[in-house]
Amino acid sequence: MGEDTTELARVKVGSRVSLPPATKKGEMSVEEAVARRRSVRDFTADALSLAEISQLLWSAHGLTSAEGLRAAPSAGACYPLEVYLACEQGLFRYQPSEHALVKVSDADPRQPLAEAAYGQFFISDAAVSIIFAAVYERTTARYGDRGIRYVHMDIGHAAQNVHLQAEALGLASVPVGAFDDSAVASVLSLPAEEKTVYIVPVGRPARG
Ligand SMILES: Cc1cc2nc3c(=O)[nH]c(=O)nc-3n(C[C@H](O)[C@H](O)[C@H](O)COP(=O)(O)O)c2cc1C
């Protein structure tokens, strides 16, 4: 990991690490990011910087208005998602309101996560994985069963932001929907109401 991520290793479980503010200006246009985005499964061993991690999490679920609206749309602004970062230094929960990470666990979850995803070992090769978990009740309380599809749409929006942001940063990503739900639940030990729906490994592309 880069020097600026040593704080991720040092921080104790339950404590918070502030992320650097996300930038709103990049070097690649949204059109170019859309045109270039590809699912990539070959990553170098290089780590990401804290600035890159900050940018990816902000694009997933960061605040973009003083009223608390987020980078991705959400049906009824119910915001059913909880976003996690899995990396060498452990598992972290993203706090949009503070643009910060709270350490959940010291153990690197990437290898067991790859095993829980039927041996998709590019998950453990990638520097980080962004994990999208849903608290369905936040949306179904308002929309009933139709809320289930809304939650999945919310996740698609947030994940696509991550893919495009990764591309714009010169990074690579792939969406992973194929995994054993109960195996992932036991690796991550999230609160029972949070169901993991999507895993997005992000790293530096090995080729190109
Ligand atoms: C809902 C969904 C689930 C996916 N799950 C996986 C997965 O578990 N493993 C994987 O390697 N790719 C997965 N993919 C990536 C697709 O294989 C990929 O998007 C498709 O082949 C098109 O290639 P592209 O993303 O490069 O355009 C998934 C994509 C979507 C949209």
Side-chain angles (χ1 to χ4, degrees):
M1 269 281 172
E3 279 209 353
D4 65 345
T5 54
T6 52
E7 188 60 21
L8 294 183
R10 242 186 271 127
V11 67
K12 292 193 167 51
V13 170
S15 293
R16 187 155 71 196
V17 186
S18 292
L19 291 167
T23 177
K24 316 297 183 302
K25 296 270 183 223
E27 288 175 11
M28 189 183 291
S29 69
V30 68
E31 293 86 351
E32 196 178 346
V34 169
R36 292 174 57 102
R37 184 213 59 81
R38 216 55 311 134
S39 292
V40 171
R41 300 171 184 84
D42 291 308
F43 301 100
T44 70
D46 298 321
L48 302 191
S49 69
L50 208 54
E52 289 168 329
I53 289 169
S54 161
Q55 209 61 44
L56 293 167
L57 291 167
W58 171 80
S59 70
H61 216 36
L63 295 191
T64 50
S65 87
E67 296 76 32
L69 299 175
R70 313 269 174 98
S74 173
C78 293
Y79 299 116
L81 307 188
E82 295 293 333
V83 179
Y84 290 85
L85 177 82
C87 60
E88 188 185 2
Q89 292 88 348
L91 180 69
F92 297 81
R93 176 192 294 268
Y94 178 56
Q95 275 191 336
S97 58
E98 312 294 328
H99 193 52
L101 289 170
V102 174
K103 189 175 257 189
V104 174
S105 150
D106 274 322
D108 181 350
R110 293 174 301 165
Q111 178 78 16
L113 210 50
E115 285 162 13
Y118 310 115
Q120 299 191 75
F121 288 106
F122 55 79
I123 295 173
S124 43
D125 297 338
V128 306
S129 270
I130 309 245
I131 296 162
F132 293 95
V135 180
Y136 283 91
E137 292 73 19
R138 289 183 197 156
T139 302
T140 56
R142 179 157 174 182
Y143 295 109
D145 284 351
R146 195 169 185 83
I148 295 168
R149 76 162 76 179
Y150 289 166
V151 169
H152 297 159
M153 291 169 179
D154 280 20
I155 292 178
H157 289 298
Q160 184 71 1
N161 277 4
V162 171
H163 295 306
L164 296 180
Q165 177 68 87
E167 197 60 51
L169 293 170
L171 302 173
S173 64
V174 54
V176 174
F179 50 81
D180 181 315
D181 291 339
S182 55
V184 166
S186 95
V187 169
L188 300 177
S189 296
L190 302 184
E193 70 273 19
E194 296 182 18
K195 309 296 181 203
T196 301
V197 180
Y198 225 7
I199 300 170
V200 179
V202 185
R204 298 196 193 287
R207 288 188 292 269

